[in-house]
Amino acid sequence: QEPSNKRVKPLSRVTSLASLIPPVRATPLKRFSQTLQRSISFRSDSRPDLFSPRPWSRSMPPANTKRRGSKLWSETFDVCVNHMLTSKEIKRQEAIFELSQGEEDLIEDLKLAKKAYHDPMLKLSIMTEQELNQIFGTLDSLIPLHEDLLRRLQEVRKPDGSTEHVGHILVGWLPCLNSYDSYCSNQVAAKALLDHKKQDHRVQDFLQRCLESPFSRKLDLWNFLDIPRSRLVKYPLLLREILRHTPNDHPDQQHLEEAISIIQGIVAEINIKTGESECQYYKERLIYLEEGQRDSLIDNSRVVCCHGELKNNRGVKLHVFLFEEVLVITRAITHNEQLCYQLYRQPIPVRELVLEDLQDGEVRLGGSIRGAFSNNERIKNFFRVSFKNGSQSQTHSLQANDSFNKQQWLNCIRQAKEKVTCAGKAGVLSSETHFLLSPNGSRVPQGETTLEQMDHSDCESDCSMDTSEISTDCERMEQTNSCENEKQIETNV
């Protein structure tokens, strides 16, 4: 071969070094990488170690998150009993066992919330005792309540695992759930305080470490605090399932029907009280810039029909409340380290409110013709509310985060107007027709919202669509092209 003038890097030394390294099997390497990843997630060099020593760091936690496996009655007890029972009776026993097992799981979670969250944060002075009492509410009082039901259910269970009668136990125990009033009514204030405290680095760091620990099952603190409410609204479903598989001539038939009636009445009553508590919470956090903004329609409101974050056509984030007979447009601010809502304009009576559904692209961003040349995403999902009474008038073009969220707002406002119009005078709207928009834009009835879907994620999500800032040249166009009316209506307070 002809000699080549291309430089060749010698590899003999590299090869010899590589030959000295023994082969590594894939399995230990994978385990090492998982251990390293867990170590990084628990401690970051960018922030100081605030919790040393940590109780859970004494031994390395398992790689897999602790999971709670579902149990079936037929798998838990002697399967031979199945040969003596009909298919319907087996389903009945499964439903009764699910009720009992759910109580056991609930008690375990409530004790875990106290032991793994409340007590350590108090001992480490991460939160004050007063703050923890506000967040955890009457959680401690619920544990013996459910332990009592579990004990009663276990006492009537036969040695073979089957249960003959449960109806009389439920009829006698369910009235104890009235004590849920104070716990559920406190949840709005508890969630707001928890979200505020998470801005504290120590609190956020502690909660994050708990979330990454196996005991949490990937549930954050609010998920644990929300478990009692979730359990409460599940009782009617569990009892109906037991009743569905109970023969008509069974002694439990009448007791179960009575128990279902009791729990439905309790849930309805708690719904009303929780809705009133939520309404009072937000009314107390309204900040009036002047006395003229105060309205008796707000003071007399007992329910928040819906509320959430919207944007106007200038991109200003607004938090809008629809009470029973008045629409209140506010700005979220921090006052005395609390999240409050400063009135943006005068409250608008629902009776005199004019609602318009705007087509995509119809709104002028910033009050100019700029909207015709803007990104289509920025001019979607708008609706307009306006009000005119003598010399007082105002108009707001409001943008929801998506089409579904927009439709829910339209439905809520229309229903509120229909109720006020049909009543012909100030009246109290029933809670069954009230709706609340959750942070992700979903709508659920107020009765179900307060108990079945309380702002269930631990971190608040932005309810409105983000829009970029208005450019300088377009603002100049706005100043020259917007009519005098638009200038007067959209002036910032």
Side-chain angles (χ1 to χ4, degrees):
Q1 297 180 354
E2 295 182 2
S4 173
N5 59 358
K6 187 176 181 180
R7 292 185 178 182
V8 179
K9 185 177 181 180
L11 298 176
S12 58
R13 181 174 299 177
V14 177
T15 305
S16 62
L17 290 175
S19 64
L20 297 176
I21 302 176
V24 180
R25 290 182 298 177
T27 303
L29 181 62
K30 182 178 181 181
R31 290 176 181 174
F32 174 77
S33 64
Q34 291 174 346
T35 306
L36 180 63
Q37 185 176 6
R38 288 197 303 272
S39 301
I40 295 175
S41 64
F42 271 87
R43 177 176 299 187
S44 173
D45 296 334
S46 61
R47 58 189 183 189
D49 184 12
L50 300 176
F51 307 100
S52 181
R54 296 187 300 272
W56 54 81
S57 62
R58 294 175 184 174
S59 59
M60 182 62 65
N64 296 327
T65 302
K66 178 183 176 182
R67 297 292 180 184
R68 175 179 288 160
S70 58
K71 298 180 181 179
L72 297 176
W73 173 79
S74 56
E75 296 175 351
T76 306
F77 298 97
D78 190 0
V79 294
C80 296
V81 74
N82 296 344
H83 299 295
M84 300 180 291
L85 300 176
T86 63
S87 174
K88 186 172 184 177
E89 181 60 26
I90 292 176
K91 291 180 180 179
R92 181 174 181 272
Q93 294 299 325
E94 293 286 3
I96 296 174
F97 181 74
E98 183 182 357
L99 173 65
S100 176
Q101 188 62 38
E103 292 299 304
E104 200 171 320
D105 294 342
L106 173 63
I107 295 169
E108 180 185 341
D109 286 336
L110 295 183
K111 290 182 177 180
L112 178 64
K114 177 173 174 56
K115 182 179 179 180
Y117 291 94
H118 178 280
D119 294 349
M121 285 194 287
L122 180 62
K123 186 176 182 179
L124 296 172
S125 300
I126 298 175
M127 289 193 201
T128 65
E129 185 175 2
Q130 182 180 3
E131 291 170 338
L132 290 172
N133 289 340
Q134 176 72 66
I135 292 175
F136 284 81
T138 58
L139 186 75
D140 281 349
S141 66
L142 304 181
I143 297 176
L145 186 71
H146 293 278
E147 286 179 334
D148 179 42
L149 176 59
L150 179 61
R151 177 184 56 79
R152 296 188 191 190
L153 293 175
Q154 291 175 343
E155 287 177 352
V156 297
R157 184 181 293 164
K158 297 179 180 179
D160 61 6
S162 63
T163 302
E164 185 67 22
H165 304 289
V166 294
H168 66 288
I169 294 177
L170 295 169
V171 170
W173 178 82
L174 284 174
C176 300
L177 293 178
N178 284 310
S179 60
Y180 265 71
D181 282 356
S182 57
Y183 185 81
C184 293
S185 298
N186 178 64
Q187 281 198 296
V188 175
K191 183 65 165 61
L193 178 58
L194 179 60
D195 290 339
H196 175 70
K197 294 300 296 182
K198 285 165 69 174
Q199 299 175 14
D200 186 334
H201 175 75
R202 297 187 70 203
V203 175
Q204 179 62 30
D205 187 76
F206 177 86
L207 296 179
Q208 182 63 31
R209 294 181 187 218
C210 290
L211 184 63
E212 294 170 352
S213 300
F215 72 81
S216 69
R217 307 196 309 277
K218 300 300 182 184
L219 300 176
D220 55 31
L221 174 57
W222 183 251
N223 289 131
F224 284 102
L225 297 178
D226 195 49
I227 285 175
R229 176 210 53 82
S230 178
R231 180 66 177 174
L232 180 63
V233 297
K234 194 175 181 181
Y235 281 121
L237 302 177
L238 292 172
L239 300 190
R240 287 194 191 99
E241 184 65 15
I242 298 175
L243 178 62
R244 191 163 68 93
H245 300 296
T246 300
N248 295 331
D249 56 349
H250 196 285
D252 257 4
Q253 180 79 17
Q254 183 176 355
H255 285 144
L256 287 172
E257 291 177 351
E258 183 180 355
I260 292 174
S261 177
I262 292 174
I263 187 60
Q264 286 178 334
I266 292 175
V267 170
E269 183 67 21
I270 294 178
N271 276 339
I272 295 174
K273 292 183 179 180
T274 305
E276 293 175 352
S277 175
E278 178 192 23
C279 181
Q280 185 63 30
Y281 172 84
Y282 286 118
K283 287 196 298 183
E284 291 175 353
R285 278 152 184 79
L286 293 178
I287 297 180
Y288 301 91
L289 294 176
E290 55 186 27
E291 284 298 318
Q293 291 179 329
R294 295 186 180 274
D295 196 316
S296 60
L297 294 177
I298 300 177
D299 298 333
N300 297 333
S301 297
R302 298 178 59 193
V303 176
V304 180
C305 301
C306 62
H307 70 91
E309 189 176 88
L310 300 169
K311 288 184 178 180
N312 64 10
N313 60 338
R314 295 176 181 271
V316 177
K317 289 184 179 181
L318 304 171
H319 199 100
V320 182
F321 295 90
L322 177 63
F323 293 95
E324 295 164 298
E325 296 187 60
V326 61
L327 184 77
V328 182
I329 301 177
T330 70
R331 280 179 173 177
I333 64 171
T334 301
H335 179 66
N336 293 335
E337 297 186 353
Q338 285 188 343
L339 179 62
C340 297
Y341 304 92
Q342 184 183 74
L343 265 69
Y344 180 69
R345 296 297 299 275
Q346 291 292 122
I348 302 177
V350 171
R351 185 189 303 275
E352 302 170 21
L353 181 148
V354 177
L355 176 66
E356 298 177 69
D357 182 3
L358 302 178
Q359 299 298 320
D360 292 344
E362 185 176 342
V363 174
R364 296 178 179 180
L365 295 183
S368 69
I369 60 173
R370 175 176 172 271
F373 306 98
S374 301
N375 182 2
N376 290 334
E377 292 299 324
R378 300 190 58 195
I379 53 179
K380 288 184 177 181
N381 309 315
F382 273 93
F383 63 94
R384 180 178 294 138
V385 293
S386 56
F387 162 70
K388 186 173 183 179
N389 184 6
S391 59
Q392 296 183 359
S393 64
Q394 52 180 305
T395 300
H396 305 275
S397 298
L398 302 173
Q399 182 185 35
N401 66 323
D402 54 40
S403 58
F404 178 80
N405 185 243
K406 168 188 171 181
Q407 192 60 47
Q408 307 320 306
W409 273 103
L410 294 176
N411 293 341
C412 288
I413 297 175
R414 286 167 181 163
Q415 289 179 7
K417 284 186 64 64
E418 289 175 3
K419 288 290 181 181
V420 173
T421 302
C422 293
K425 59 181 179 179
V428 179
L429 307 183
S430 62
S431 61
E432 288 79 10
T433 59
H434 297 156
F435 297 87
L436 174 129
L437 301 183
S438 61
N440 61 1
S442 62
R443 181 193 72 158
V444 287
Q446 174 70 20
E448 297 176 4
T449 299
T450 324
L451 293 178
E452 295 181 7
Q453 175 152 344
M454 186 75 117
D455 191 13
H456 300 325
S457 83
D458 199 23
C459 50
E460 290 289 332
S461 58
D462 191 355
C463 201
S464 349
M465 186 182 303
D466 289 333
T467 59
S468 58
E469 294 294 326
I470 301 176
S471 57
T472 305
D473 56 336
C474 292
E475 287 181 355
R476 291 173 184 157
M477 294 175 65
E478 170 195 352
Q479 295 174 1
T480 55
N481 294 335
S482 60
C483 64
E484 183 177 350
N485 245 0
E486 288 175 332
K487 285 184 179 178
Q488 178 186 357
I489 298 306
E490 299 295 344
T491 300
N492 292 338
V493 177

